[in-house]
Amino acid sequence: MEPGTRFKVYCSQCREKVELPAEEFRLTLGRTPAQAHYSFGCPLCGAAVRKPAGEKIVEALTAAGVRTMRLVPAEG
């Protein structure tokens, strides 16, 4: 993970702008780009926030070393 990387985001619950280190984010990639999203916990209100992740956001979070989970269909 890129040391010291931080991101400014808005909480969809309390609507406050917060700045968090990269390690506070999780990135989830689905089968299609439209299914990508990122999540974080708001340090102000405690809400679990989930937002869509477009191509540029995916690139920035990936470059910062944010933990990423790929969703794949179950075989069988």
Side-chain angles (χ1 to χ4, degrees):
M1 183 165 301
E2 190 70 31
T5 303
R6 299 178 69 82
F7 294 97
K8 292 179 183 178
V9 292
Y10 284 96
C11 172
S12 51
Q13 185 68 35
C14 69
R15 303 202 186 283
E16 292 294 325
K17 186 175 189 177
V18 296
E19 184 174 323
L20 298 168
E23 56 267 10
E24 295 295 321
F25 291 86
R26 300 294 174 266
L27 176 62
T28 303
L29 303 175
R31 287 184 77 181
T32 67
Q35 295 172 324
H37 66 270
Y38 65 97
S39 57
F40 62 92
C42 178
L44 299 178
C45 73
V49 180
R50 177 179 160 171
K51 294 187 170 206
E55 185 178 325
K56 288 183 180 184
I57 292 173
V58 170
E59 287 177 15
L61 294 176
T62 302
V66 168
R67 285 187 225 168
T68 303
M69 177 174 54
R70 282 194 187 274
L71 301 178
V72 295
E75 303 269 336

